[in-house]
Amino acid sequence: MNKLLMLPGPTIVPPDVLLAMAKPVIGHRSKEFSEIFEDTVEKLKKVFITENDTFIITGSGTAVMDMALANILKPKDKVLTIITGNFGERFANIVNSYKGEAIKLEYEWGDMANPEDVKEILEKEKDIKAVTVVHNETSTGARNPIKEIGEIVKDYDALYIVDTISSLGGDYVNVDKFNIDICVTGSQKCLAAPPGLAGITVSEKAWEVINKNDDKVGFYLDLKAYKKYFDEKKQNPYTPAVNLIYALNKALDLVLEEGIENRVKRHEKLAKATRAGLEEMGIELFAKEEARSVTVTSAKYPEGVNDKLREIMNKKYNIVLAGGQKHLSGKIFRIGHMGICGEKEILATLSCLELALKELNFEVQGSGVEKAKEIFKE
Ligand SMILES: *Cc1c(COP(=O)(O)O)cnc(C)c1O
């Protein structure tokens, strides 16, 4: 069954990217593979907009969130974890799993962080090893001001770690300009490749910390091993997912062909049309207006409507939407419009939502699809 994935990951994978995988598996120690691998890393660096060392890891996004912290932390090290939702919380859980101390700067879910609060804590607590933040908090549909926070963190010893898993290739990310020491991403969101690969960038400032850290735990995610193999052979220390590398290479070509500016503009338009369409129908958006994501839209279930809406969308119309996470489960739904999503996917989603809402006896106010069409015409 061909489902329309309107999820905030995994997203629709273009046929050319799927086809790229249908090639013979080759040895991961061959010169041929080294060339493809190096080329893929170079393309990823262009999308991250960085000169920093960049690595591709076999694993999902969480693997590189883990890797970012595993390589810098010693037990009892303090990390300022900015939390605006589930993925921000995940960074704190990872810090704790390495016996570090997570200093939580928490905001209401749906809101965004205030850079001034970050500054205040960095001034007060002198020995903070790193600051973690999620750019696009996929669980709430709100984004954080990563450029502004980077402006602050760069003046302290703390490393700046940013999760751009659901924003890179959809929203504006510039690793070097934003002073990001360690930036992580995943293959299955805005990059529109299949799940299974993750990317990580490492600055000079981060290497200084990593190279001094003899107490670290773990083995598979040891950045020093990845650097050694890449510098010497343009390979990974352990067998990578060879065919996924073919796919990511092609997916990155598509991102670079479209151009990052154009891609961000397209995502902004998709978000604007989705929000306007939902509001026109009488659905209230969840994330605070000034914080709203351009890659995922979150909305509140109206009175009398619940996850049954998603069930109808899926079973009757083959359109897959995401629900709420943790305490938002059953309260909100989320529409992912990232990757190669376009106008027709949004229009299809909004028109089927109208039918599904009517089936649940919700009094739909205006035509969401007409409203979205107007936005696309602008
Ligand atoms: C999807 C996502 C993750 C987790 O990625 P997995 O690939 O499921 O491990 C982490 N952070 C953000 C912001 C995400 O959207």
Side-chain angles (χ1 to χ4, degrees):
M1 178 55 70
N2 205 358
K3 299 268 183 190
L4 175 58
L5 292 189
M6 295 300 287
L7 294 172
T11 62
I12 309 161
V13 178
D16 283 355
V17 174
L18 289 171
L19 273 174
M21 286 194 289
K23 277 190 302 217
V25 178
I26 59 174
H28 64 292
R29 298 289 175 229
S30 64
K31 185 164 175 294
E32 197 185 347
F33 184 72
S34 293
E35 281 169 10
I36 296 168
F37 192 62
E38 185 184 11
D39 185 53
T40 314
V41 170
E42 285 306 318
K43 286 170 184 163
L44 184 58
K45 280 173 85 161
K46 285 194 186 132
V47 177
F48 270 125
I49 315 185
T50 190
E51 297 294 324
N52 290 344
D53 285 334
T54 299
F55 305 96
I56 297 172
I57 275 67
T58 307
S60 76
T62 307
V64 277
M65 293 173 80
D66 191 333
M67 191 177 206
L69 289 160
N71 283 272
I72 64 161
L73 287 189
K74 291 185 173 66
K76 298 205 169 66
D77 276 349
K78 289 183 193 166
V79 178
L80 174 56
T81 55
I82 299 170
I83 301 174
T84 57
N86 194 29
F87 294 108
E89 184 84 46
R90 184 167 298 177
F91 266 135
N93 293 338
I94 296 169
V95 171
N96 291 333
S97 80
Y98 290 111
K99 311 266 183 284
E101 187 194 329
I103 300 170
K104 296 183 177 182
L105 174 57
E106 294 191 71
Y107 297 86
E108 203 186 321
W109 287 30
D111 200 355
M112 64 180 175
N114 178 354
E116 286 306 311
D117 296 341
V118 176
K119 190 176 169 88
E120 198 176 299
I121 296 175
L122 287 172
E123 278 299 314
K124 248 198 330 230
E125 305 250 4
K126 288 295 175 201
D127 51 351
I128 289 182
K129 191 100 176 238
V131 176
T132 65
V133 68
V134 173
H135 182 201
N136 188 76
E137 182 46 84
T138 322
S139 65
T140 66
R143 62 180 168 174
N144 279 307
I146 57 167
K147 179 170 182 275
E148 291 76 4
I149 298 171
E151 283 295 323
I152 287 166
V153 181
K154 80 173 195 313
D155 294 332
Y156 296 83
D157 288 337
L159 296 177
Y160 187 36
I161 301 176
V162 183
D163 167 344
T164 61
I165 296 176
S166 64
S167 58
L168 189 80
D171 198 353
Y172 196 60
V173 176
N174 187 322
V175 168
D176 290 353
K177 261 206 192 134
F178 295 178
N179 303 292
I180 303 173
D181 292 302
I182 303 184
C183 190
V184 299
T185 202
S187 55
Q188 80 275 26
K189 308 223 169 158
C190 304
L191 299 178
L197 292 177
I200 183 166
T201 72
V202 185
S203 72
E204 272 307 316
K205 183 175 165 186
W207 279 122
E208 277 171 31
V209 174
I210 295 163
N211 287 330
K212 274 192 281 192
N213 190 10
D214 298 323
D215 287 6
K216 69 167 168 22
V217 289
F219 183 85
Y220 186 72
L221 299 175
D222 181 355
L223 268 167
K224 281 192 234 172
Y226 283 83
K227 180 164 173 59
K228 183 172 185 298
Y229 266 78
F230 194 77
D231 286 351
E232 288 172 11
K233 305 187 169 99
K234 307 299 173 200
Q235 292 173 3
N236 264 2
Y238 322 109
T239 317
V242 170
N243 296 52
L244 284 177
I245 298 291
Y246 302 153
L248 182 61
N249 192 302
K250 183 70 200 174
L252 292 169
D253 276 342
L254 299 181
V255 174
L256 295 168
E257 272 165 30
E258 182 175 3
I260 291 171
E261 293 285 336
N262 290 339
R263 207 162 164 105
V264 173
K265 283 201 188 103
R266 175 166 57 80
H267 281 82
E268 284 170 349
K269 195 72 170 261
L270 296 173
K272 194 174 171 196
T274 306
R275 294 172 197 153
L278 289 171
E279 290 193 308
E280 184 72 14
M281 286 193 279
I283 301 289
E284 205 183 320
L285 300 177
F286 175 73
K288 289 222 169 119
E289 190 167 357
E290 63 281 8
R292 282 174 197 159
S293 159
V294 301
T295 64
V296 54
T297 294
S298 55
K300 296 179 190 170
Y301 282 131
E303 188 77 31
V305 176
N306 52 27
D307 275 330
K308 186 94 180 44
L309 180 72
R310 291 195 303 120
E311 198 183 309
I312 297 171
M313 288 294 282
N314 191 339
K315 293 228 171 91
K316 213 172 227 174
Y317 303 112
N318 293 310
I319 297 177
V320 192
L321 305 179
Q325 294 183 322
K326 302 272 173 73
H327 65 273
L328 296 177
S329 172
K331 300 206 166 84
I332 67 165
F333 63 101
R334 294 171 299 142
I335 303 174
H337 32 76
M338 50 177 84
I340 60 158
C341 180
E343 179 174 338
K344 75 174 189 296
E345 285 81 13
I346 299 295
L347 296 180
T349 302
L350 290 170
S351 19
C352 293
L353 262 176
E354 181 173 336
L355 297 172
L357 282 164
K358 282 179 177 158
E359 189 174 328
L360 291 171
N361 300 316
F362 174 71
E363 225 175 286
V364 175
Q365 286 171 15
S367 168
V369 68
E370 287 294 340
K371 186 79 199 169
K373 233 173 73 186
E374 277 171 34
I375 305 277
F376 282 120
K377 273 201 216 121
E378 276 174 10

